[in-house]
Amino acid sequence: MNVIRSQKAWLAPLLAGLAALALLLSGGLASASESDLVLPDLSSQSFGGVDGRTLLLGGIGVCALGFVFGIVIFSQLNKLPVHRAMREISELIYETCKTYLVTQFKFILVLEVLIGAVMVLYFGVLRHMEATKVVVILLSSLVGIAGSCGVAWFGMRINTFANSRAAFASLKGKPFPTYAIPLKAGMSIGAVLISTELMLMLMILLFIPADYAGPSFIGFAIGESLGASALRIAGGIFTKIADIGSDLMKIVFNIKEDDARNPGVIADCTGDNAGDSVGPSADGFETYGVTGVALISFILLAVPDQATQVQLLVWIFVMRIVMVLASIGSYLLNEAIAKASYGDADKMNFEAPLTRLVWLTSIVSVALTYAVSAFMIPNIGGDSSLWWKLSSIITCGTLAGAIIPEMIKIFTSTESRHVREVVTASREGGASLNVLSGLTAGNFSAYWMGIVLVVLMGTSYLIASQGLEQLMMAESVFAFGLVAFGFLGMGPVTIAVDSYGPVTDNAQSVYELSLIESVPNVEAELKKDFGFTPNFDKAKHYLEENDGAGNTFKATAKPVLIGTAVVGATTLIFSIIVVLTRGLTANVDKLSLLHPPFLLGLVTGGAVIYWFTGASTQAVSTGAYRAVEFIKANIRLDGVEKASIADSKKVVEICTQYAQRGMFNIFLGVFFSTLAFACLEPFFFIGYLISIALFGLYQAIFMANAGGAWDNAKKLVEVELKEKGTPLHAATVVGDTVGDPFKDTSSVAMNPIIKFTTLFGLLAVELAIEIDRTTSLVLAAIFFVLSMVFVYRSFYSMRIKSGEKETPAAAGARVTA
């Protein structure tokens, strides 16, 4: 909070923005919109003799079971044996993560005051809703924030003790435990995350009054999107400042990775959780919720028949409930197969059982999709063929959840020809050709990913055109929303393989930081207390090799979430279009390139995506500069075994300061840009939202997969070629540090930014269309100037000044100036 209180520079433009917002809200009443949506009576339709409400009440029980499953795994992992030297390191990592998260939660509450003011003014002042209803909406947004932050905390906590358990298990000289523990931790996170999200949405659906539910869902989605955006952006900046600061020491001082004398290593481990555990957990929670809210809004806006509305609403929620069971069942079956195959093996392909898990879950999910749909909606809208057509559309998304990871592995796996090309280029061409080869892999991956999405979405469109128009308007938009829904069908497993990476990364670090090999009489101690003789060489090899698998599957999960954001955004954008065109009956011609504002909006969205990329990378660059400066000045390589705790915490502090500063500038730039462009012209804003989604999709995929290729090229040199400390290794380290903000900062934060912009846009554009044109243009100019203030600050108040040399204290003062 010191950063917030001392940043006087942003206070004036922020207050000016709120004043302009108050002026904006002095207009008349808005037309019917999402805030007016009323849920139909869910008990009015029967499914196999059970009414819809009762069926969904049973779903809450399934969610509770999923939650218990995750907690039981949490408890099992916590009880696994671990040497005190490793436990001490993992607990130190946890304490630094906890301090960081508490700071971020306070930061998010400050932002919630800003967003809450908009919601109060919109719902209370403009729409004249009664105070009780406004309070319910605000509470829903707080529940959304609490959900995002809660699952982020849970993911961080389990990963920060699973890391030491995995490191300790590797000492037995068998690879299987090194694989099983990170995946088990991931499944715990996935089960708790999805079960919690689904339970909260079901409670709004079932227990909030029908006329309150629509705005409550919007408030809930905005809250969780706010939490996810802040945690993703700040976490991405934090982790890459620490990662670069730590990695560059390998070149500067020719020391090993995770050298305990390097004060940046603890910050790097904290960052692995802040960026690769906290961020994805909050992001996955929000993605799952926002996609559901988008489909609910669409069904209530686009489907005229209430009986059909009930059938579709109950059906999509039952499908989500069934997928929780499918994911847990597939995991248990896959683990039994993996244990039988690798339990006593001395060598294993760590990627193989992870790949099988993804495909097994996908196949089981597809089979259940058709079976449950045939039972629930055998005849919907008088058409007995729509059940399999709707199932086929979801299947396009479910298959994407398996196909996309396979596509991404072509560009990021340690077995990939592209990754090996990066290594080959680096051997003769050094860092220059390393960087060029990684850029090539990223560009190619964006092409193939785009083709896969077009094929899957095109297939869903063709199926939707075969009768779905009888039920609703714009059936193709609903089909695209169902594809996004299918992306997340096997949510617990998708989250699990994504969370696998930070545990494997931390496990390797914990091993080195614990100095386990130097503990006096450690072999005798382990034999006496734990019943085995350690094999240190095999342990280090398995941990490094498994880290490569973790890198690969972190890379495969990112495009799934990014793709979901973009595909799901089309459904949300449709909700805005319905308001602007009065149910597609007016102004439809303005959704065309022949309408100049629409075209200009398309151009503007791309500009904002490139600013966002630069701003997030700038925050990493400057923060890493300060971290490197501090580490180089304070690292002690002679006469010590470990860096001091004080120095390690100082690096964490530097990372936190720049992460917060960068995130705040970016968030307010996005916030005021959204208001400015909504006020400028409604159809300009539609073009802007479409452009944000499309530019963001390709920029994110390109950056994520280029970074993944660089990351595993370095891992290939370290593990397979065993050429640490060579010029080849130095070249791949340079590529990896270039790729760090690519894959873990800019690319991954596109997802929540796209969804927050679209969700907040639902309110912003409805505010704007109710005031006269002159006032709207004046406000657009005010908000645009305010956005430019934060765009300017995102570079010019964050830049590295040439020739400047600062003490650590001065560096901290600069951040808070």
Side-chain angles (χ1 to χ4, degrees):
M1 289 298 291
N2 291 332
V3 176
I4 300 171
R5 284 194 293 266
S6 59
Q7 284 182 343
K8 302 291 179 62
W10 55 260
L11 187 58
L14 189 55
L15 291 175
L18 289 175
L21 194 56
L23 176 60
L24 173 59
L25 287 155
S26 63
L29 285 173
S31 56
S33 65
E34 290 74 15
S35 59
D36 300 308
L37 296 178
V38 178
L39 287 174
D41 181 6
L42 299 176
S43 61
S44 64
Q45 294 294 308
S46 179
F47 302 85
V50 181
D51 69 81
R53 180 178 175 82
T54 302
L55 195 60
L56 294 183
L57 283 170
I60 292 180
V62 173
C63 292
L65 289 175
F67 187 86
V68 169
F69 172 81
I71 296 299
V72 168
I73 291 181
F74 179 99
S75 178
Q76 290 174 348
L77 288 172
N78 196 26
K79 293 176 181 177
L80 288 177
V82 60
H83 190 272
R84 65 184 183 282
M86 291 180 170
R87 184 176 59 247
E88 288 169 3
I89 296 300
S90 65
E91 288 304 303
L92 175 59
I93 295 169
Y94 168 65
E95 289 301 320
T96 56
C97 285
K98 184 169 68 173
T99 301
Y100 165 78
L101 268 184
V102 168
T103 304
Q104 287 305 108
F105 293 164
K106 293 176 181 178
F107 212 64
I108 290 169
L109 289 177
V110 172
L111 296 177
E112 167 65 1
V113 172
L114 181 62
I115 302 300
V118 175
M119 289 192 287
V120 168
L121 292 170
Y122 173 64
F123 291 113
V125 177
L126 179 61
R127 303 205 63 80
H128 302 297
M129 288 184 179
E130 60 269 30
T132 305
K133 201 168 188 177
V134 175
V135 169
V136 169
I137 295 167
L138 284 176
L139 288 176
S140 297
S141 72
L142 289 173
V143 169
I145 290 174
S148 287
C149 294
V151 297
W153 185 286
F154 181 82
M156 177 271 293
R157 174 66 282 210
I158 191 170
N159 282 352
T160 51
F161 64 69
N163 55 15
S164 58
R165 276 64 175 178
F168 182 75
S170 71
L171 293 173
K172 295 180 180 180
K174 297 290 183 181
F176 181 76
T178 312
Y179 145 85
I181 292 173
L183 183 59
K184 202 168 187 177
M187 274 305 297
S188 176
I189 297 169
V192 167
L193 185 155
I194 299 300
S195 297
T196 302
E197 171 66 48
L198 189 51
M199 184 181 292
L200 289 173
M201 294 194 72
L202 284 171
M203 292 177 75
I204 294 175
L205 195 68
L206 296 172
F207 301 122
I208 298 292
D211 58 333
Y212 282 40
S216 294
F217 271 123
I218 298 298
F220 175 72
I222 289 175
E224 60 183 354
S225 186
L226 169 62
S229 297
L231 291 173
R232 239 328 182 181
I233 296 169
I237 295 170
F238 182 109
T239 184
K240 293 304 104 178
I241 292 173
D243 199 356
I244 293 171
S246 177
D247 277 357
L248 287 180
M249 295 306 105
K250 292 186 290 188
I251 298 175
V252 175
F253 295 107
N254 197 26
I255 58 178
K256 64 184 178 179
E257 182 148 4
D258 301 319
D259 194 302
R261 298 168 297 176
N262 182 353
V265 175
I266 289 294
D268 188 16
C269 293
T270 302
D272 288 338
N273 290 283
D276 294 335
S277 177
V278 168
S281 296
D283 191 2
F285 183 86
E286 176 240 11
T287 299
Y288 203 77
V290 170
T291 306
V293 170
L295 282 173
I296 292 168
S297 299
F298 181 94
I299 290 170
L300 297 180
L301 284 168
V303 179
D305 180 60
Q306 281 207 358
T308 304
Q309 287 180 357
V310 173
Q311 288 177 302
L312 290 173
L313 285 171
V314 175
W315 172 67
I316 63 173
F317 274 96
V318 169
M319 292 305 303
R320 285 197 155 175
I321 293 164
V322 168
M323 295 313 164
V324 172
L325 298 174
S327 293
I328 293 174
S330 298
Y331 164 74
L332 294 174
L333 176 59
N334 186 71
E335 280 308 277
I337 296 171
K339 189 169 185 178
S341 302
Y342 301 112
D344 294 319
D346 291 320
K347 185 172 178 59
M348 71 177 286
N349 181 339
F350 290 105
E351 292 186 11
L354 295 171
T355 299
R356 183 175 57 238
L357 173 61
V358 171
W359 277 103
L360 178 61
T361 309
S362 181
I363 292 168
V364 170
S365 297
V366 168
L368 287 174
T369 296
Y370 283 97
V372 172
S373 298
F375 170 76
M376 288 193 64
I377 50 172
N379 191 321
I380 184 170
D383 190 333
S384 59
S385 69
L386 287 182
W387 71 268
W388 68 262
K389 293 174 182 175
L390 289 168
S391 299
S392 299
I393 293 171
I394 287 183
T395 296
C396 289
T398 307
L399 289 176
I403 293 170
I404 289 174
E406 290 302 307
M407 291 293 302
I408 299 309
K409 282 196 287 185
I410 292 173
F411 302 96
T412 62
S413 170
T414 52
E415 303 298 322
S416 159
R417 286 183 292 174
H418 283 277
V419 171
R420 291 179 181 273
E421 171 78 5
V422 174
V423 175
T424 302
S426 305
R427 188 175 293 281
E428 295 299 331
S432 298
L433 290 189
N434 174 284
V435 170
L436 290 175
S437 297
L439 294 175
T440 301
N443 281 305
F444 271 122
S445 73
Y447 168 80
W448 287 111
M449 177 76 170
I451 295 299
V452 168
L453 284 176
V454 167
V455 170
L456 292 169
M457 293 177 69
T459 301
S460 72
Y461 158 70
L462 292 175
I463 297 171
S465 65
Q466 304 301 310
L468 224 58
E469 69 277 2
Q470 301 171 17
L471 303 183
M472 63 190 70
M473 68 172 96
E475 68 282 354
S476 60
V477 177
F478 183 62
F480 296 156
L482 284 183
V483 170
F485 178 94
F487 269 41
L488 299 168
M490 47 187 192
V493 167
T494 300
I495 298 298
V497 297
D498 188 28
S499 297
Y500 186 88
V503 179
T504 61
D505 198 350
N506 261 198
Q508 185 180 357
S509 300
V510 166
Y511 181 96
E512 296 290 351
L513 290 169
S514 69
L515 301 175
I516 188 71
E517 297 177 48
S518 303
V519 174
N521 302 314
V522 67
E523 294 190 20
E525 180 186 350
L526 292 174
K527 181 67 175 177
K528 176 185 175 183
D529 295 343
F530 299 101
F532 70 89
T533 300
N535 189 323
F536 297 119
D537 290 336
K538 282 189 174 182
K540 287 184 285 190
H541 177 79
Y542 292 145
L543 289 172
E544 285 191 319
E545 190 176 3
N546 197 26
D547 188 26
N551 290 339
T552 299
F553 277 85
K554 278 192 298 183
T556 64
K558 290 167 187 170
V560 173
L561 293 176
I562 293 163
T564 304
V566 174
V567 178
T570 61
T571 314
L572 287 168
I573 292 169
F574 172 79
S575 299
I576 302 175
I577 291 173
V578 168
V579 174
L580 296 179
T581 61
R582 297 173 190 155
L584 304 184
T585 62
N587 296 321
V588 177
D589 60 307
K590 292 183 179 178
L591 296 168
S592 164
L593 296 181
L594 298 178
H595 183 56
F598 180 78
L599 175 60
L600 292 172
L602 292 174
V603 175
T604 305
V608 169
I609 288 296
Y610 278 88
W611 157 71
F612 173 81
T613 301
S616 53
T617 304
Q618 178 65 39
V620 171
S621 299
T622 305
Y625 178 91
R626 299 299 175 208
V628 167
E629 181 182 58
F630 177 83
I631 294 169
K632 286 169 68 176
N634 291 275
I635 192 170
R636 299 291 178 266
L637 299 179
D638 297 321
V640 298
E641 289 187 328
K642 290 184 178 182
S644 72
I645 299 298
D647 284 347
S648 295
K649 287 186 175 180
K650 184 61 188 180
V651 180
V652 172
E653 181 185 336
I654 292 170
C655 296
T656 302
Q657 290 169 338
Y658 280 93
Q660 288 187 324
R661 181 69 173 274
M663 184 271 288
F664 203 77
N665 285 329
I666 291 169
F667 186 86
L668 288 181
V670 170
F671 175 80
F672 284 119
S673 292
T674 303
L675 288 173
F677 300 142
C679 289
L680 182 60
E681 210 270 354
F683 293 94
F684 174 98
F685 189 59
I686 294 295
Y688 170 73
L689 292 179
I690 293 171
S691 180
I692 284 276
L694 293 180
F695 272 90
L697 170 69
Y698 286 104
Q699 181 79 333
I701 293 169
F702 154 68
M703 298 186 79
N705 293 331
W710 282 315
D711 196 0
N712 266 348
K714 182 193 75 171
K715 188 60 60 178
L716 198 63
V717 171
E718 293 173 342
V719 178
E720 183 176 312
L721 301 181
K722 299 189 183 302
E723 294 193 34
K724 290 183 179 180
T726 65
L728 173 62
H729 185 226
T732 59
V733 169
V734 171
D736 182 40
T737 54
V738 172
D740 278 337
F742 269 51
K743 65 184 175 64
D744 289 324
T745 306
S746 300
S747 63
V748 294
M750 296 283 185
N751 180 16
I753 284 296
I754 289 168
K755 285 177 293 183
F756 177 81
T757 301
T758 309
L759 272 169
F760 187 59
L762 288 172
L763 298 184
V765 77
E766 289 173 30
L767 293 172
I769 60 179
E770 293 306 316
I771 57 179
D772 66 84
R773 184 66 179 147
T774 301
T775 304
S776 178
L777 289 174
V778 169
L779 290 171
I782 294 172
F783 289 132
F784 182 69
V785 170
L786 290 170
S787 73
M788 291 299 290
V789 169
F790 292 102
V791 168
Y792 180 91
R793 285 175 52 80
S794 68
F795 175 72
Y796 291 99
S797 71
M798 298 289 290
R799 70 191 187 280
I800 303 170
K801 289 190 175 181
S802 177
E804 186 177 73
K805 192 74 175 177
E806 292 182 313
T807 65
R814 169 175 293 282
V815 176
T816 56

